[in-house]
Amino acid sequence: QVQLVESGGGLVQYGGSLRLSCAASGSILSISAMGWYRQAPGKQRELVARTNSDGATAYADAVMSRFTISRDNAENTVYLQMNNLKPEDTAVYYCRAEITTFQSMLVDDFWGQGTQVTVSS
């Protein structure tokens, strides 16, 4: 089975920075798109940023100019650099990847377990 493991979350003050990492492992043939989502208590999960295999990126309006998504294809890892953090950024952040496995030979959707980001006022 494929696993996505996030790391880098924590508690940070207003205006601070964090860098999230997500490493994919398992029976992976290839990875196309990778992205980050977040979910605050009582709210629906929302897209934060995504990147495809050719490096094209897309961001939610709320994080544009503050967050940067990048990936290391050799390590099957995607990153999210978060700068100038605000209390409204507080949420559980989830990694998502579109992965073709050796078992299915089809593109499937995989999610990580989530990492908590808390921004204090």
Side-chain angles (χ1 to χ4, degrees), residues 11-13 16 22 26 34 44-45 49 54 61 63 66 83 87 93 98-99 106 109:
L11 175 64
V12 66
Q13 291 184 340
C22 172
M34 302 186 79
Q44 191 173 356
R45 188 174 299 186
D54 67 4
D61 289 343
V63 307
R66 298 189 297 120
N83 297 324
Y93 284 70
E98 297 174 359
I99 298 174
L106 298 170
D109 189 23

Side-chain angles (χ1 to χ4, degrees), residues 12-18 66 82-87 89 119-121:
V12 66
Q13 291 184 340
Y14 171 81
S17 297
L18 286 173
R66 298 189 297 120
M82 304 185 294
N83 297 324
N84 193 23
L85 284 161
K86 304 174 181 179
D89 296 318
V119 185
S120 64
S121 301

Side-chain angles (χ1 to χ4, degrees), residues 25-82:
S25 62
S27 301
I28 299 171
L29 180 61
S30 63
I31 301 176
S32 53
M34 302 186 79
W36 291 93
Y37 293 71
R38 67 185 182 186
Q39 187 168 21
K43 296 184 178 180
Q44 191 173 356
R45 188 174 299 186
E46 64 179 0
L47 174 68
V48 176
R50 62 169 281 152
T51 180
N52 59 26
S53 58
D54 67 4
T57 59
Y59 298 90
D61 289 343
V63 307
M64 193 171 298
S65 81
R66 298 189 297 120
F67 292 9
T68 302
I69 189 170
S70 61
R71 62 192 289 177
D72 184 340
N73 291 328
E75 299 294 332
N76 291 333
T77 301
V78 64
Y79 304 94
L80 186 68
Q81 178 67 47
M82 304 185 294

